[in-house]
Amino acid sequence: MLKLIENNQVVSQYIDNSGKIAAKLPFNPDASTCAVESIISPDGRILGKSSMPQRRTSGCFANVPDNRNIRIFEAGINYFKG
């Protein structure tokens, strides 16, 4: 994990309401090491996410049909289109 941090490959981390890195539930639903939620490949071309962005409210461990807010992917497409 330290190598990912040193290489600036950590894109996002779970935080609590005060903006501090969250190691535990409810703010870190995956109990991920160093509260890492997403990383990128060394060349910056591949993004790996832990959570599902549509699971962002109460009951976050249940699928909510047609409740999708995945603008991170739209933003990536627009970025590479130029």
Side-chain angles (χ1 to χ4, degrees), residues 6-81:
E6 290 170 0
N7 289 342
N8 293 316
Q9 289 178 255
V10 174
V11 175
S12 61
Q13 292 176 283
Y14 295 106
I15 58 170
D16 63 19
N17 289 335
S18 65
K20 294 180 183 174
I21 292 174
K24 299 178 182 178
L25 286 170
F27 300 104
N28 183 345
D30 303 322
S32 67
T33 303
C34 299
V36 172
E37 191 279 332
S38 60
I39 60 173
I40 56 172
S41 60
D43 63 7
R45 298 178 68 189
I46 301 171
L47 170 70
K49 289 187 56 56
S50 178
S51 301
M52 303 300 289
Q54 70 269 26
R55 298 178 184 181
R56 65 189 186 283
T57 59
S58 61
C60 69
F61 296 108
N63 287 325
V64 180
D66 299 320
N67 185 9
R68 300 178 194 277
N69 182 13
I70 309 178
R71 295 179 189 223
I72 188 170
F73 301 112
E74 179 182 341
I77 290 167
N78 291 336
Y79 174 84
F80 286 106
K81 279 185 177 178

